[in-house]
Amino acid sequence: MNQIADILKLAGEAAQQNVDAVLATVVRTEGSAYRRAGAMMLICADGRSVGMISGGCLEPHIIKRAFWLTRNGANVQVYQTGDDIEYTKNGEAKAAAKEETSENDFLNVDFHDEPDLDLDELNFGLGCNGRVHVLFERLATATPLLDTISQVRHTQQSVTIATLIRSASRQNSNPELQIGMRIDLDDYTESGQIMTIGANGIGTNRIETNNSLNQSGSDASNTLINTVENLAQYELGDKNAEYVVIKSEDSKHLTTEWLVQRLEPQIRLLICGAGNDVMPLVTMAKLQDWHVTVIDSRAQYATRMRFPQADEVLPLALEDTDTLLKLSHNAAVALMSHSLSQDRARLAVLLAHANHYKYLGQLGPRYRTERLIEEISATNVNPASLSVGINKLHYPIGYKLGGDGPEALALGIMAQINTVMHNQASPAKCVDLANSNIAMMGHA
């Protein structure tokens, strides 16, 4: 299941077929939650749906309620996943789900009298003891966000956005601050102007922050400018999505809650080699919605028929170093050709450009790779220039997780690449403390 890819595909189909849909997005989690903030699900009016915002426990309820919840516009719902059940004064169980109106009021909603909804489902008695905040919006409003995600995937350039999920004051409601509105923080940092993504309808809208009016004839208030300024100064940590509270310092004393997201491009995996053992690696990478390219100098192996799931399959000559460097830019690279000549040629180029890629792994036993390194160093004018690349090289490629065969190999490779790409520490069980070596899975 390619979560984002499937959502973008279904959204495009729904728009072409004039089928309405609702996009549900996790905007905040408290306690234990199966999915992180930013997880999405698309529900179509004709019954089709893709994506997940939980482990499958919230989805049936959300599919039933999505269109009713968005009848008056975008709004945020809060669902509890604990095992504590509230009771009314007469002793009847109440639903452990709280729903929030588009005007930001929380309501203790009792669905006990709805016969078609299961009480356990509404109570979500999962024992997770968490809360999941979900933004619901119709496809017309969500399309600009989905277009932005598509752009990020195409350009490989990340974008930082902020989504309004709550505004504390109802008495002094601000028409500029609508639930679900999104601000392009990168654009504000560069231009000093506020670009909203899909707020108050379809498309994007630039709001002037000076005295000149924009095309829609509106200027940003000081409250909005100060709020966006504070959001733009917020620094995301290792996570790509965080919940942020902004309190205005003006007379309105407005408190707003936002989801700040860094929309990242797909992880790119370049596999040098088109043998049969590459096939399960391609499958596993596509399951995680990675962009996968397979290259081989042997044209009979690098064919679309052999790798239908890959995004690109190219017969690439060993002398074409420019294309190799282009394909490996910011990518994870797996050398898996089972050919000394191919591995030697690709490895020589990549070791000399260590800052070009994010991960480099070489298939085969340790002594084979060390032989390749020695041969490459012997023919290099400045062998010391290869030291950074050699230190960055993972060989044999992948963690030794147990099992045998191409599928087990692919699983170990995926685990290692995920660890490196997400800046995680290597699993302790993959380290052989007795021999002070990392026990990896190696295949000749």
Side-chain angles (χ1 to χ4, degrees):
M1 179 184 296
N2 303 335
Q3 298 277 322
I4 300 299
D6 289 342
I7 288 173
L8 294 175
K9 180 181 178 182
L10 182 56
E13 293 175 354
Q16 290 180 350
Q17 299 164 2
N18 199 26
V19 175
D20 201 1
V22 173
L23 182 69
T25 305
V26 176
V27 291
R28 183 188 177 192
T29 61
E30 301 174 80
S32 177
Y34 187 84
R35 298 299 306 274
R36 297 179 180 178
M40 297 189 299
M41 178 180 185
L42 187 69
I43 304 108
C44 290
D46 60 9
R48 291 175 293 173
S49 65
V50 292
M52 296 176 65
I53 60 171
S54 74
C57 40
L58 300 182
E59 282 77 2
H61 168 70
I62 285 172
I63 290 173
K64 294 177 182 178
R65 306 276 292 177
F67 285 91
W68 185 85
L69 291 170
T70 55
R71 68 198 186 284
N72 294 322
N75 62 88
V76 175
Q77 313 297 321
V78 184
Y79 300 99
Q80 298 185 35
T81 60
D83 52 5
D84 293 328
I85 299 176
E86 298 180 14
Y87 294 90
T88 62
K89 293 181 179 180
N90 60 7
E92 293 183 346
K94 288 170 50 178
K98 290 185 177 180
E99 299 197 345
E100 184 187 7
T101 67
S102 56
E103 291 82 13
N104 314 309
D105 286 338
F106 281 98
L107 299 177
N108 292 324
V109 181
D110 186 358
F111 300 107
H112 189 69
D113 58 352
E114 295 194 25
D116 60 322
L117 298 181
D118 183 77
L119 185 60
D120 290 335
E121 178 182 335
L122 282 173
N123 282 321
F124 302 113
L126 310 177
C128 299
N129 295 322
R131 286 160 61 91
V132 181
H133 301 239
V134 182
L135 169 66
F136 292 85
E137 55 190 324
R138 291 293 176 98
L139 182 59
T141 304
T143 294
L145 169 66
L146 299 178
D147 289 343
T148 301
I149 294 174
S150 296
Q151 179 183 352
V152 168
R153 292 162 70 92
H154 177 71
T155 63
Q156 288 291 296
Q157 299 294 323
S158 63
V159 173
T160 305
I161 64 172
T163 303
L164 180 63
I165 60 179
R166 190 167 297 111
S167 180
S169 174
R170 178 180 179 183
Q171 295 179 349
N172 297 317
S173 60
N174 190 327
E176 295 176 316
L177 299 172
Q178 299 292 324
I179 299 301
M181 73 173 294
R182 294 180 175 91
I183 305 293
D184 186 333
L185 297 182
D186 292 336
D187 185 84
Y188 177 78
T189 300
E190 295 175 2
S191 68
Q193 294 181 327
I194 299 173
M195 173 72 78
T196 61
I197 302 174
N200 300 320
I202 301 174
T204 58
N205 180 35
R206 186 177 297 277
I207 303 176
E208 300 293 343
T209 56
N210 50 37
N211 292 328
S212 62
L213 295 178
N214 64 4
Q215 293 180 354
S216 63
S218 62
D219 280 331
S221 67
N222 290 332
T223 299
L224 179 58
I225 294 174
N226 293 336
T227 298
V228 175
E229 179 68 28
N230 288 329
L231 288 169
Q233 294 175 359
Y234 186 84
E235 295 184 4
L236 284 171
D238 295 334
K239 299 179 181 179
N240 287 330
E242 292 191 18
Y243 165 74
V244 178
V245 178
I246 301 296
K247 296 182 179 181
S248 65
E249 298 178 355
D250 56 23
S251 59
K252 296 182 179 180
H253 300 292
L254 181 65
T255 299
T256 53
E257 301 174 34
W258 301 79
L259 170 66
V260 178
Q261 284 177 280
R262 184 187 299 112
L263 301 178
E264 294 281 11
Q266 293 170 281
I267 291 178
R268 302 181 74 87
L269 173 61
L270 172 63
I271 305 174
C272 302
N276 290 350
D277 57 347
V278 169
M279 295 177 181
L281 180 59
V282 173
T283 299
M284 291 185 186
K286 292 308 299 178
L287 284 172
Q288 293 204 44
D289 194 27
W290 292 7
H291 183 283
V292 180
T293 301
V294 178
I295 64 171
D296 200 303
S297 64
R298 301 162 293 189
Q300 69 272 25
Y301 289 113
T303 65
R304 171 61 62 184
M305 183 178 295
R306 286 171 53 78
F307 300 96
Q309 291 180 298
D311 296 277
E312 293 183 88
V313 183
L314 303 172
L316 188 68
L318 300 181
E319 298 79 16
D320 193 350
T321 58
D322 289 341
T323 301
L324 176 63
L325 290 175
K326 179 181 178 180
L327 293 174
S328 62
H329 181 64
N330 287 333
V333 184
L335 301 176
M336 302 178 63
S337 73
H338 296 274
S339 165
L340 280 171
S341 60
Q342 282 208 67
D343 286 350
R344 185 185 300 111
R346 309 291 194 204
L347 190 59
V349 175
L350 294 168
L351 289 181
H353 298 82
N355 295 325
H356 197 71
Y357 45 84
K358 294 183 178 180
Y359 169 93
L360 179 62
Q362 173 68 63
L363 179 70
R366 181 173 291 274
Y367 67 82
R368 179 182 184 274
T369 303
E370 290 175 346
R371 171 188 169 184
L372 289 172
I373 293 174
E374 290 177 1
E375 294 174 352
I376 294 169
S377 299
T379 59
N380 193 284
V381 177
N382 182 17
S385 64
L386 305 177
S387 60
V388 176
I390 293 172
N391 290 332
K392 196 172 182 177
L393 177 64
H394 297 265
Y395 66 98
I397 191 172
Y399 292 138
K400 184 176 180 181
L401 303 176
D404 186 31
E407 292 79 12
L409 172 64
L411 183 61
I413 294 173
M414 289 296 297
Q416 188 176 67
I417 295 177
N418 265 300
T419 299
V420 174
M421 301 297 276
H422 296 290
N423 300 314
Q424 300 296 307
S426 300
K429 291 183 179 180
C430 294
V431 179
D432 184 350
L433 298 178
N435 298 320
S436 297
N437 291 320
I438 297 180
M440 299 294 184
M441 179 177 291
H443 294 256

